[in-house]
Amino acid sequence: MPILLQLAVWVFALLLASTNAAEPYKLMPPPLDTPWTDKVGTNPWPQYPRPQLRRDGWKSLNGIWTYQAATDPDDTAVKPTLPLRQEVLIPSCIESGISGIMTTGVTHMWFGTNFTVPEASSQGDRVMLNFEAVDYEATVYVNGAEAGFHRGGYSRFSFDVTQHLKPYGDNELLVFVFDPTDDQSIPQGKQSKRPHHIFYTPCSGIWQTVWLEHVPENSITKLDVAAGMDGKVDVTVHGSKNESTPVEISVHDLDGGVLHTQQAMSNEPFTFTVQSPKLWSPDSPTLYNITVKMGSDEVSSYTGFRTVSTGMVNGTLRQLLNGEFVFWFGPLDQGYWPDGLHLPPTLEAMVSDLELIKDLGMNLVRKHIKIEPDLFYEACDRLGLMVMQDMPSMRVYPERRPTDDEQVEWERQLDIMVEEHKSYPSIVSWVIYNEGWGQITDYHPEFAITERVRRMDPTRLINANSGWRDHGAGDFSDNHHYADPQCGAPYYSLPSSPYDPNRIGFQGEFGGLGSRPADENLWPIETALRTINETYEMHATPDSFHYRARTLLRLLREQVEMYGCSGAIYTQTSDVEAEVNGLVTYDRRVVRINAAQWQEDIKALYDAAKARV
């Protein structure tokens, strides 16, 4: 380094130290960007984050915070002072370019900011500090006092911080985060510190929205709503105090008028019926707005009237939507982005993937071993895309049997996933295990897990084992086979199991046709580049790719016509790092498939299924 440049660096460091200033935030150029990278700005994700429990009085804390790696990861007794060493954009994964950090290998870290509390709203004077997701463990301090602890990288949490707040001026917020990724057996999905082929760059830190909300002393904390095709609505209004309190729920018609009002009590299930509702389906994703009042608290929500069930259709067990066999078809949706990793750069970017899927004529996404922000599920509700929701798997690299404690924790987080998302009408099925990852095989816990999930949520189907290590639990006989489908057919290839006619025949994954994109659309990391050819089936020319895509969809259609095939998942929505088998490239700039051809072939699948009714 030239002497003058070195002196300039030293002077800059001294100035930072003397003014106790953090290194300013700067968007780090990611290895690959998207059309939305430069649109993130410093006010990311400004939307209200919980669309099914909406209040007026709230304040986003998203934006510029400060960050530093923990110097003593085992001792949080001595907390750092603000500002921390480097500015960071919240929400983000610290491994992403959008964070402004773009570092890997950090397991213990601090995040901090100052905030002011808006004046108390008419809805109450308790202040809730809400986090939509922090990966993986978070200990939260407000003005030096510990406000709470949370474990789990995909679930939301809230703390009442009223007692810790200063009546005037700035309040200090510090968050200590620990994220082992795959150094421990935790629900981490496809995150890996050793990314290669089907395992990807991890996400650590505060990766979803942080926000404040005023609520009354006794507030509505959760709203469970299940509305069926017969108009029956099952509701539980959960209150912050474990006591019965009068509540009023109103369902509004499509013009905004009140369709039905029901009086009931909180923390107790109750039922009422709406006459002749318009049903929710992919062809007609009708949603009804809801308001709920409990004392001085009022929240708005929504629901869709639909029923997911099973039934025999001309001698074959099928999944039914509103009493009819509807063929399920859509992509394996990984939800990774080159600039934000786990978090899309913007809401518009996230919705663009879903709109592409819908425009092709698909009616389903399999959300693959990852849980998205709630706004993802709201978008699916409004677009009319059914969702098969996977539980993020435990460690699979290197593979080993989970301990009893690890299994208990994984099941606890599975229960939370179901409880947090069971009011979204688009979700039609829970997926417990994927391809045996993290699955215990010396006994079969999926039977007990399936029954517990069914008790928590009897309104959806359960896919206990997607792929293999199938012992007969759940509603689906699910086969994975690349590239050709083997859906409900009287033949199969190991390690998948044979089709079980006592359950629904389903192709949980197939396809995976790949072609290397141009360098400007490719994830340019050497460890990824070395494993591109591990993509399931590579094609050297577009003509070859399009020919095979048409062939695979024809084979699937024939299996619908001849056998017990009731639905299928094509791999996948977008390229992800070393995987180059998406409908679109990882940067979302190039649509790889022939859209008109796919629209025609997908319609043929639905027509074949209708002919079996």
Side-chain angles (χ1 to χ4, degrees), residues 126-422:
R126 308 303 296 180
V127 179
M128 301 300 296
L129 174 61
N130 305 306
F131 293 80
E132 293 307 290
V134 177
D135 200 349
Y136 171 69
E137 293 181 354
T139 308
V140 178
Y141 302 89
V142 176
N143 293 324
E146 183 174 335
F149 170 83
H150 179 266
R151 175 180 293 120
Y154 298 93
S155 53
R156 67 176 77 106
F157 57 99
S158 302
F159 301 129
D160 184 341
V161 297
T162 311
Q163 63 179 330
H164 304 306
L165 297 175
K166 297 176 182 178
Y168 305 103
D170 284 348
N171 293 273
E172 180 186 84
L173 173 58
L174 279 170
V175 183
F176 180 75
V177 175
F178 166 61
D179 183 17
T181 311
D182 52 351
D183 288 342
Q184 295 181 10
S185 285
I186 63 171
Q188 97 282 355
K190 288 199 168 183
Q191 300 181 66
S192 177
K193 291 183 177 180
R194 298 158 287 271
H196 66 286
H197 187 34
I198 63 171
F199 300 102
Y200 317 131
T201 305
C203 173
S204 302
I206 304 171
W207 72 280
Q208 289 190 34
T209 290
V210 187
W211 54 295
L212 296 172
E213 187 171 43
H214 280 288
V215 299
E217 185 79 26
N218 188 17
S219 61
I220 300 168
T221 58
K222 185 169 176 279
L223 185 62
D224 296 336
V225 180
M229 61 180 288
D230 58 358
K232 180 183 174 184
V233 186
D234 294 312
V235 181
T236 303
V237 179
H238 299 266
S240 57
K241 291 187 174 182
N242 190 23
E243 57 187 37
S244 293
T245 304
V247 298
E248 179 184 277
I249 181 170
S250 297
V251 180
H252 302 269
D253 63 27
L254 301 181
D255 297 321
V258 175
L259 189 62
H260 183 93
T261 296
Q262 184 73 31
Q263 310 290 332
M265 304 298 289
S266 68
N267 297 305
E268 299 175 8
F270 60 93
T271 301
F272 60 89
T273 299
V274 171
Q275 297 299 320
S276 304
K278 188 175 182 181
L279 303 187
W280 185 96
S281 73
D283 292 334
S284 180
T286 304
L287 300 173
Y288 289 80
N289 289 328
I290 292 173
T291 56
V292 183
K293 298 178 182 179
M294 185 178 74
S296 61
D297 199 11
E298 181 174 340
V299 300
S300 60
S301 187
Y302 67 88
T303 192
F305 289 83
R306 62 102 181 101
T307 297
V308 181
S309 61
T310 63
M312 297 298 293
V313 178
N314 281 341
T316 302
L317 186 66
R318 307 286 193 181
Q319 76 275 4
L320 306 178
L321 179 65
N322 300 327
E324 298 181 356
F325 169 42
V326 175
F327 190 82
W328 291 2
F329 186 72
L332 195 76
D333 195 65
Q334 309 268 21
Y336 275 77
W337 297 78
D339 45 13
L341 302 177
H342 256 204
L343 183 68
T346 65
L347 175 64
E348 292 74 20
M350 183 177 73
V351 172
S352 73
D353 273 4
L354 299 176
E355 289 175 337
L356 169 68
I357 293 164
K358 184 72 176 181
D359 289 346
L360 288 174
M362 298 179 178
N363 61 11
L364 175 79
V365 295
R366 180 183 169 195
K367 177 44 61 180
H368 191 40
I369 51 179
K370 177 178 183 278
I371 303 170
E372 294 286 2
D374 279 20
L375 294 169
F376 173 91
Y377 304 98
E378 181 193 30
C380 291
D381 290 341
R382 299 195 182 283
L383 287 170
L385 279 170
M386 296 181 288
V387 179
M388 298 187 77
Q389 177 62 54
D390 288 17
M391 175 60 192
S393 63
M394 281 187 281
R395 163 179 167 168
V396 294
Y397 178 82
E399 190 172 3
R400 68 166 174 82
R401 184 196 188 280
T403 66
D404 291 344
D405 288 345
E406 290 165 346
Q407 180 70 14
V408 167
E409 177 61 25
W410 181 79
E411 291 188 30
R412 183 188 73 86
Q413 294 188 36
L414 166 65
D415 293 352
I416 291 172
M417 178 188 77
V418 173
E419 289 291 346
E420 286 188 352
H421 296 86
K422 66 182 182 181

Side-chain angles (χ1 to χ4, degrees), residues 340-539:
L341 302 177
H342 256 204
L343 183 68
T346 65
L347 175 64
E348 292 74 20
M350 183 177 73
V351 172
S352 73
D353 273 4
L354 299 176
E355 289 175 337
L356 169 68
I357 293 164
K358 184 72 176 181
D359 289 346
L360 288 174
M362 298 179 178
N363 61 11
L364 175 79
V365 295
R366 180 183 169 195
K367 177 44 61 180
H368 191 40
I369 51 179
K370 177 178 183 278
I371 303 170
E372 294 286 2
D374 279 20
L375 294 169
F376 173 91
Y377 304 98
E378 181 193 30
C380 291
D381 290 341
R382 299 195 182 283
L383 287 170
L385 279 170
M386 296 181 288
V387 179
M388 298 187 77
Q389 177 62 54
D390 288 17
M391 175 60 192
S393 63
M394 281 187 281
R395 163 179 167 168
V396 294
Y397 178 82
E399 190 172 3
R400 68 166 174 82
R401 184 196 188 280
T403 66
D404 291 344
D405 288 345
E406 290 165 346
Q407 180 70 14
V408 167
E409 177 61 25
W410 181 79
E411 291 188 30
R412 183 188 73 86
Q413 294 188 36
L414 166 65
D415 293 352
I416 291 172
M417 178 188 77
V418 173
E419 289 291 346
E420 286 188 352
H421 296 86
K422 66 182 182 181
S423 293
Y424 287 103
S426 56
I427 299 177
V428 293
S429 175
W430 306 112
V431 182
I432 297 174
Y433 285 114
N434 174 73
E435 296 184 350
W437 297 1
Q439 182 179 350
I440 295 173
T441 56
D442 49 353
Y443 70 100
H444 306 318
E446 61 267 27
F447 283 94
I449 295 171
T450 295
E451 292 313 307
R452 187 177 72 251
V453 170
R454 209 183 295 280
R455 287 192 299 271
M456 285 192 291
D457 178 19
T459 72
R460 292 177 175 86
L461 305 185
I462 301 173
N463 191 340
N465 300 83
S466 184
W468 46 80
R469 295 187 181 176
D470 178 16
H471 306 109
D475 297 305
F476 293 89
S477 179
D478 185 328
N479 177 297
H480 290 188
H481 190 255
Y482 291 97
D484 298 357
Q486 296 178 358
C487 183
Y491 55 88
Y492 66 99
S493 301
L494 294 174
S496 281
S497 302
Y499 165 55
D500 175 4
N502 295 311
R503 291 179 295 153
I504 298 163
F506 198 77
Q507 186 72 49
E509 296 180 29
F510 84 106
L513 304 181
S515 64
R516 184 183 177 114
D519 288 349
E520 61 264 28
N521 309 116
L522 186 63
W523 183 250
I525 304 300
E526 181 58 32
T527 53
L529 296 175
R530 287 200 301 265
T531 57
I532 280 178
N533 286 332
E534 293 180 28
T535 295
Y536 304 102
E537 182 178 294
M538 290 292 290
H539 288 262

